[in-house]
Coordinates of all heavy atoms in Angstrom, one line a residue:
A86 N 16.2 6.2 -5.4 CA 14.8 5.7 -5.6 C 14.8 4.3 -5.1 O 15.6 3.4 -5.4 CB 14.5 5.6 -7.1
V87 N 13.9 4.1 -4.2 CA 13.7 2.8 -3.5 C 12.4 2.2 -4.0 O 11.3 2.8 -3.7 CB 13.7 2.9 -2.0 CG1 13.5 1.5 -1.4 CG2 15.0 3.5 -1.5
A88 N 12.4 1.1 -4.7 CA 11.2 0.5 -5.2 C 10.7 -0.6 -4.3 O 11.5 -1.4 -3.9 CB 11.4 0.0 -6.6
V89 N 9.4 -0.6 -4.1 CA 8.8 -1.7 -3.3 C 7.6 -2.2 -4.1 O 6.7 -1.4 -4.5 CB 8.3 -1.1 -2.0 CG1 7.6 -2.2 -1.2 CG2 9.5 -0.6 -1.2
F90 N 7.7 -3.4 -4.4 CA 6.6 -4.0 -5.2 C 5.7 -4.8 -4.3 O 6.1 -5.5 -3.4 CB 7.2 -5.0 -6.3 CG 8.0 -4.3 -7.3 CD1 9.4 -4.2 -7.1 CD2 7.4 -3.7 -8.3 CE1 10.1 -3.5 -8.0 CE2 8.2 -2.9 -9.2 CZ 9.5 -2.9 -9.1
V91 N 4.4 -4.6 -4.4 CA 3.4 -5.1 -3.5 C 2.5 -6.0 -4.3 O 1.9 -5.5 -5.4 CB 2.7 -4.0 -2.8 CG1 1.7 -4.6 -1.9 CG2 3.7 -3.1 -2.1
T92 N 2.2 -7.2 -3.9 CA 1.3 -8.0 -4.5 C 0.3 -8.6 -3.5 O 0.5 -8.4 -2.3 CB 2.0 -9.2 -5.2 OG1 2.7 -10.0 -4.2 CG2 2.9 -8.8 -6.3
G93 N -0.7 -9.2 -4.0 CA -1.7 -9.9 -3.2 C -2.6 -8.9 -2.4 O -3.0 -7.9 -2.9
A94 N -3.0 -9.3 -1.2 CA -4.0 -8.5 -0.4 C -3.6 -7.1 -0.1 O -4.4 -6.2 -0.1 CB -4.3 -9.3 0.9
L95 N -2.3 -6.9 0.0 CA -1.8 -5.5 0.4 C -2.1 -4.5 -0.7 O -2.5 -3.4 -0.5 CB -0.3 -5.5 0.7 CG 0.3 -4.2 1.2 CD1 -0.4 -3.8 2.4 CD2 1.7 -4.4 1.4
A96 N -2.1 -5.0 -2.0 CA -2.3 -4.1 -3.1 C -3.8 -4.0 -3.4 O -4.2 -3.2 -4.3 CB -1.6 -4.6 -4.3
T97 N -4.6 -4.7 -2.8 CA -6.1 -4.7 -3.1 C -6.7 -3.8 -2.0 O -6.7 -4.1 -0.9 CB -6.6 -6.1 -3.0 OG1 -5.9 -6.9 -3.9 CG2 -8.1 -6.1 -3.4
A98 N -7.3 -2.8 -2.5 CA -8.0 -1.9 -1.6 C -9.4 -2.4 -1.3 O -10.1 -2.9 -2.2 CB -8.1 -0.5 -2.1
C99 N -9.9 -2.1 -0.1 CA -11.3 -2.5 0.2 C -12.2 -1.3 -0.2 O -11.8 -0.2 -0.3 CB -11.4 -2.7 1.7 SG -10.4 -4.1 2.3
G100 N -13.5 -1.7 -0.4 CA -14.4 -0.6 -0.7 C -14.9 -0.6 -2.1 O -14.5 -1.4 -2.9
G101 N -15.7 0.3 -2.4 CA -16.3 0.4 -3.8 C -16.4 1.8 -4.2 O -15.8 2.7 -3.7
G102 N -17.3 2.0 -5.2 CA -17.5 3.3 -5.6 C -16.3 3.9 -6.3 O -15.6 3.2 -7.1
S103 N -16.1 5.2 -6.1 CA -15.0 5.9 -6.7 C -13.7 5.9 -5.9 O -12.8 6.7 -6.2 CB -15.4 7.3 -7.1 OG -15.7 8.0 -5.8
S104 N -13.6 5.1 -4.9 CA -12.4 5.0 -4.1 C -11.2 4.6 -4.9 O -11.4 3.7 -5.7 CB -12.6 4.1 -2.9 OG -13.6 4.5 -2.0
P105 N -10.1 5.2 -4.7 CA -8.9 4.7 -5.4 C -8.5 3.3 -5.0 O -8.8 2.9 -3.9 CB -7.8 5.7 -5.0 CG -8.3 6.5 -3.9 CD -9.8 6.3 -3.8
S106 N -7.9 2.6 -6.0 CA -7.6 1.2 -5.7 C -6.1 1.0 -5.5 O -5.3 1.8 -5.9 CB -8.1 0.3 -6.9 OG -7.4 0.7 -8.1
G107 N -5.8 -0.1 -4.9 CA -4.4 -0.5 -4.7 C -3.7 0.6 -3.9 O -4.2 1.2 -3.0
L108 N -2.4 0.8 -4.2 CA -1.6 1.8 -3.5 C -2.0 3.2 -3.8 O -1.5 4.1 -3.2 CB -0.1 1.5 -3.8 CG 0.4 0.2 -3.3 CD1 1.8 -0.1 -3.8 CD2 0.4 0.2 -1.7
N109 N -2.9 3.4 -4.7 CA -3.4 4.8 -5.0 C -4.4 5.2 -3.9 O -4.7 6.4 -3.8 CB -4.2 4.8 -6.3 CG -3.2 4.8 -7.5 OD1 -2.2 5.5 -7.5 ND2 -3.5 3.9 -8.4
N110 N -4.7 4.3 -3.0 CA -5.5 4.6 -1.8 C -4.6 5.0 -0.7 O -3.7 4.2 -0.4 CB -6.3 3.3 -1.4 CG -7.2 3.5 -0.2 OD1 -6.7 4.1 0.8 ND2 -8.4 3.0 -0.2
P111 N -4.7 6.2 -0.2 CA -3.7 6.6 0.8 C -3.6 5.7 2.1 O -2.5 5.6 2.6 CB -4.3 8.0 1.3 CG -5.1 8.4 0.1 CD -5.7 7.2 -0.5
D112 N -4.7 5.1 2.5 CA -4.6 4.1 3.6 C -3.8 2.9 3.3 O -3.0 2.4 4.1 CB -6.0 3.8 4.1 CG -6.7 4.9 4.7 OD1 -6.1 5.9 5.2 OD2 -8.0 4.9 4.6
T113 N -4.0 2.4 2.1 CA -3.2 1.2 1.6 C -1.7 1.5 1.5 O -0.9 0.8 1.9 CB -3.8 0.7 0.3 OG1 -5.2 0.4 0.5 CG2 -3.1 -0.6 -0.1
L114 N -1.4 2.7 0.9 CA -0.1 3.1 0.8 C 0.6 3.3 2.1 O 1.7 2.9 2.4 CB 0.0 4.4 0.0 CG 1.4 5.0 -0.2 CD1 2.3 4.0 -1.0 CD2 1.4 6.3 -1.0
A115 N -0.1 3.9 3.1 CA 0.4 4.1 4.4 C 0.7 2.8 5.1 O 1.8 2.7 5.7 CB -0.6 4.9 5.3
S116 N -0.1 1.8 4.9 CA 0.2 0.4 5.4 C 1.5 -0.1 4.8 O 2.3 -0.7 5.5 CB -1.0 -0.5 5.2 OG -0.7 -1.8 5.6
A117 N 1.6 0.0 3.5 CA 2.8 -0.5 2.8 C 4.1 0.2 3.3 O 5.1 -0.4 3.6 CB 2.7 -0.4 1.3
I118 N 4.0 1.5 3.5 CA 5.2 2.3 4.0 C 5.5 2.0 5.4 O 6.6 1.9 5.8 CB 4.9 3.8 3.7 CG1 5.1 4.1 2.2 CG2 5.9 4.6 4.5 CD1 4.8 5.5 1.8
R119 N 4.4 1.8 6.2 CA 4.6 1.4 7.6 C 5.4 0.1 7.7 O 6.4 0.0 8.4 CB 3.3 1.2 8.3 CG 3.4 0.8 9.8 CD 2.0 0.5 10.4 NE 1.2 1.7 10.4 CZ 0.1 1.8 9.6 NH1 -0.3 0.8 8.9 NH2 -0.6 2.9 9.6
D120 N 5.0 -0.9 6.9 CA 5.7 -2.2 6.9 C 7.1 -2.1 6.5 O 8.0 -2.7 7.0 CB 4.9 -3.2 6.0 CG 3.5 -3.6 6.5 OD1 3.3 -3.3 7.7 OD2 2.8 -4.2 5.8
S121 N 7.4 -1.3 5.4 CA 8.7 -1.1 4.9 C 9.6 -0.4 5.9 O 10.7 -0.8 6.2 CB 8.7 -0.3 3.6 OG 10.0 -0.1 3.1
A122 N 9.1 0.7 6.5 CA 9.8 1.4 7.5 C 10.1 0.5 8.7 O 11.3 0.5 9.3 CB 9.1 2.6 8.0
Q123 N 9.2 -0.3 9.2 CA 9.4 -1.1 10.3 C 10.4 -2.2 10.0 O 11.3 -2.5 10.8 CB 8.1 -1.8 10.8 CG 8.3 -2.5 12.1 CD 8.7 -1.6 13.3 OE1 8.1 -0.6 13.6 NE2 9.8 -1.9 13.9
H124 N 10.4 -2.7 8.8 CA 11.4 -3.7 8.4 C 12.8 -3.0 8.4 O 13.8 -3.7 8.9 CB 11.1 -4.2 6.9 CG 12.1 -5.1 6.4 ND1 12.3 -6.4 6.9 CD2 13.1 -4.9 5.5 CE1 13.3 -7.0 6.2 NE2 13.8 -6.1 5.4

């Protein structure tokens, strides 16, 4: 299990309505995984 904690702007999803927030948003999670994999 590899834990990655995300704070600040990365964890904040854009948009409104019923869109999932933070890393529950697939696009936000993809960005976090992209950064981790590139690192």
Side-chain angles (χ1 to χ4, degrees):
V87 179
V89 178
F90 296 94
V91 181
T92 60
L95 186 57
T97 305
C99 298
S103 63
S104 296
S106 63
L108 294 170
N109 288 312
N110 180 315
D112 294 332
T113 304
L114 179 61
S116 178
I118 289 178
R119 178 184 304 111
D120 292 346
S121 177
Q123 189 60 56
H124 177 74

